[in-house]
């Protein structure tokens, strides 16, 4: 039994020198049991011949929107695919796909699918580092496209740097993760999950605000994973431009603690799980100056008043069965402080986050947490990507939801 038995995979190959490595990827996919339909762009065929893929792939190799018996090969390929992997992906492919441009059979197929898409960019370091290319990759990743690589190493022409196609082993591992036995279970299907993300900004005057260092990455990772596991997500965020984009995510942009309070109070009653990953300001200026406060004012006092504690309010008036999850940002006595917050706010789970430690919390792509439960249990999740932390939090929330429904 192969790990990808019977899975239908479209392998898109674009015109870069790394196209020859797509042959290895094709062979590995076929060995894992997948039905592989290669699509070669015109430029790809300048680097590698159709005959090579014909000999290796289980399905017909296609190269054009026009020379097939079927007048609409892209819709057939797109609709029937369980996954599309583009390997290598040139800067042009990234730009076309980001813009939704249907330039040839491969880009048309990418537009005509609902299947997961894996993109493996490969190009010279200078091209890879271009802001335009980076922006295209960021936007595609936000839309849920899986980006693998590039890696650092030797490039064409004897150069060396970032831009080399990811190792075929890593590409296969990603495909297996998305499709194979380790594919995310759709265990949150039918649930509405409310997630907050980012740090609120409390205006002092038209140009200044009181803020905090939260980047929104952890909350956004939770939203993305919840959707990957089948949930319907409302993401209330101060970093809406960075939020994951997906038909099952409603992104609600907010700025201040008061705006976040209204948005959360409106969505919470219909949500089975509420995860407050946002760093909400505890204080807000009593009044906002109508005009910019001039330097000539000298020493200035800004009077602050407490904001509504959103989580504690939800804890006091929660809908039956609902699971409430808080994040405790601490710089000392992590577990002790988080346990106090868990009890004080009346929540089910508190994710304790040492924001002063290395590689952890604000702005980083990694995190390390302890998940405390109102039942007294605690689970330590050591340094891991924010995606993995997101799944650990969702696992704990789902377990609690099942327990709450039994009580
Ligand atoms: N929180 C909230 N509303 C607020 C402040 C915080 O809902 N006005 C939520 C946060 O989203 C987080 C949890 O409460 O899930 C804990 O936030 P944190 O800032 O760690 O704790 P505070 O209650 O603000 O306490 P302190 O700042 O004194 O540590």
């Amino acid at each position: 039994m192969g790990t990808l038995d019977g899975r239908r995979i479209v392998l898109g190959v674009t015109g870069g020198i790394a196209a020859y490595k797509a042959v290895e990827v094709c062979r590995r996919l076929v060995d894992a049991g997948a039905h592989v339909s290669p699509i070669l762009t015109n430029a790809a065929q300048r680097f590698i011949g159709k005959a090579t893929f014909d000999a290796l792939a289980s399905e017909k190799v296609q190269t054009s929107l026009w020379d097939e018996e079927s007048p609409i090969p892209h819709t057939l390929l797109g609709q029937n695919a369980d996954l599309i992997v583009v390997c290598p992906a040139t800067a042009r492919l990234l730009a076309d796909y980001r813009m939704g441009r249907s330039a040839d059979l491969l880009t048309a197929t990418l537009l005509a699918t609902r299947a997961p898409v894996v993109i493996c960019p490969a190009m010279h370091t200078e091209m890879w580092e271009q802001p335009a290319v980076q922006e295209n990759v960021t936007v595609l990743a936000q839309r849920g496209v899986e980006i693998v690589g590039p890696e650092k190493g030797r490039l064409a022409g004897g150069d060396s740097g970032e831009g080399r196609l990811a190792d075929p082993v890593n590409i296969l591992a990603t495909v297996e993760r998305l499709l194979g036995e380790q594919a995310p279970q759709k265990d949150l299907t039918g649930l509405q999950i409310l997630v907050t993300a980012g740090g609120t900004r409390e205006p002092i005057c038209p140009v200044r605000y009181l803020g905090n260092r939260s980047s929104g990455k952890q909350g956004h990772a939770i939203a993305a994973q919840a959707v990957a596991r089948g949930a319907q997500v409302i993401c209330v965020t101060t970093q809406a431009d960075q939020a994951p984009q997906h038909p099952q995510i409603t992104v609600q942009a907010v700025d201040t603690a008061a705006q976040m309070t209204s948005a959360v109070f409106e969505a919470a009653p219909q949500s089975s799980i509420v995860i407050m990953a946002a760093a909400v300001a505890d204080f807000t200026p009593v009044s906002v100056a109508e005009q910019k406060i001039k330097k000539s004012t000298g020493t200035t006092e800004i009077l602050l008043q407490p904001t509504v504690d959103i989580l504690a309010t939800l804890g006091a008036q929660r809908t039956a069965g609902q699971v409430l999850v808080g994040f405790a940002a601490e710089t000392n006595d992590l577990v002790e402080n988080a346990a106090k917050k868990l009890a004080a706010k009346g929540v089910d789970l508190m994710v304790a986050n040492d924001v002063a430690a290395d590689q952890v919390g604000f702005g980083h792509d990694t995190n390390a947490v302890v998940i405390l439960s109102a039942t007294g249990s605690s689970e330590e999740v050591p340094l891991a990507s924010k995606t993995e932390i997101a799944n650990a939090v969702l696992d704990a929330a789902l377990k609690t939801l099942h327990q709450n429904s039994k009580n």
Side-chain angles (χ1 to χ4, degrees):
M1 280 273 292
T3 50
L4 297 172
D5 266 344
R7 297 312 195 109
R8 291 177 304 268
I9 296 179
V10 170
L11 172 64
V13 186
T14 65
I17 181 63
Y20 76 94
K21 293 188 189 163
V23 176
E24 165 85 3
V25 172
C26 180
R27 188 188 61 76
R28 285 178 184 269
L29 291 170
V30 171
D31 285 353
H35 299 299
V36 181
S37 302
I39 299 179
L40 271 59
T41 64
N42 288 340
Q45 292 171 79
R46 289 175 175 264
F47 289 93
I48 185 105
K50 185 169 172 280
T52 313
F53 288 94
D54 262 329
L56 281 173
S58 48
E59 310 297 310
K60 198 166 167 236
V61 181
Q62 305 206 40
T63 55
S64 163
L65 267 168
W66 306 111
D67 62 5
E68 308 301 331
E69 294 120 40
S70 156
I72 45 170
H74 58 295
T75 49
L76 289 179
L77 284 163
Q79 285 169 354
N80 291 334
D82 290 317
L83 182 141
I84 299 181
V85 52
V86 183
C87 159
T90 55
R92 180 154 104 186
L93 181 282
L94 296 173
D96 281 346
Y97 187 27
R98 184 251 169 110
M99 293 304 292
R101 197 173 286 134
S102 163
D104 53 16
L105 179 58
L106 178 56
T107 42
T109 305
L110 284 167
L111 295 187
T113 193
R114 292 205 171 94
V117 174
V118 178
I119 298 277
C120 314
M123 62 199 76
H124 253 73
T125 311
E126 292 82 353
M127 289 179 84
W128 173 246
E129 288 177 352
Q130 274 297 323
V133 173
Q134 285 298 309
E135 193 184 294
N136 290 340
V137 170
T138 304
V139 169
L140 289 172
Q142 280 172 359
R143 290 178 190 158
V145 173
E146 193 83 25
I147 310 287
V148 186
E151 293 174 359
K152 278 193 181 144
R154 259 177 72 84
L155 302 169
D159 292 344
S160 142
E162 193 171 7
R164 193 167 75 158
L165 183 75
D167 191 310
V169 173
N170 295 339
I171 297 172
L172 190 83
T174 304
V175 173
E176 283 176 340
R177 174 166 58 77
L178 293 171
L179 278 188
E181 282 163 16
Q182 299 153 25
Q185 285 178 23
K186 298 281 181 188
D187 55 356
L188 300 176
T189 304
L191 297 178
Q192 177 169 302
I193 300 187
L194 170 60
V195 186
T196 63
T200 59
R201 295 171 167 192
E202 308 304 314
I204 297 169
C205 70
V207 294
R208 301 185 183 91
Y209 62 84
L210 288 175
N212 62 67
R213 294 183 194 281
S214 172
S215 64
K217 285 182 178 176
Q218 185 62 77
H220 293 163
I222 294 172
Q225 289 312 301
V227 160
R229 292 168 63 164
Q232 199 70 40
V233 172
I234 298 177
C235 181
V236 177
T237 175
T238 63
Q239 308 285 339
D241 56 339
Q242 317 276 323
Q245 297 175 13
H246 190 280
Q248 273 164 249
I249 302 184
T250 307
V251 174
Q252 201 159 341
V254 293
D255 219 23
T256 63
Q259 289 167 353
M260 186 167 276
T261 305
S262 317
V264 170
F265 284 176
E266 200 182 318
Q270 304 85 260
S271 304
S272 313
I273 299 174
V274 179
I275 304 178
M276 286 290 301
V280 188
D282 291 329
F283 299 96
T284 191
V286 169
S287 60
V288 181
E290 272 177 31
Q291 276 148 12
K292 186 182 175 199
I293 302 169
K294 300 303 282 180
K295 188 159 51 184
S296 53
T297 314
T299 304
T300 305
E301 281 188 350
I302 299 168
L303 199 57
L304 302 175
Q305 62 186 353
T307 56
V308 172
D309 189 319
I310 306 172
L311 195 55
T313 312
L314 294 178
Q317 9 166 297
R318 84 164 83 194
T319 323
Q322 185 179 60
V323 175
L324 293 179
V325 185
F327 269 70
E330 307 293 346
T331 55
N332 56 292
D333 302 326
L334 180 67
V335 172
E336 198 185 320
N337 279 333
K340 277 190 202 148
K341 275 182 197 168
L342 179 127
K345 297 188 192 235
V347 298
D348 299 278
L349 298 169
M350 188 59 81
V351 184
N353 201 174
D354 182 348
V355 288
D358 263 1
Q359 305 291 303
V360 160
F362 297 144
H364 292 290
D365 291 323
T366 48
N367 208 352
V369 300
V370 182
I371 305 175
L372 305 177
S373 159
T375 59
S377 69
S378 80
E379 180 197 349
E380 195 174 341
V381 191
L383 193 66
S385 69
K386 286 194 168 169
T387 299
E388 286 168 86
I389 302 282
N391 278 314
V393 171
L394 290 167
D395 288 346
L398 185 61
K399 197 169 143 200
T400 310
L401 188 72
H402 292 324
Q403 282 163 356
N404 285 3
S405 71
K406 278 188 214 140
N407 298 335

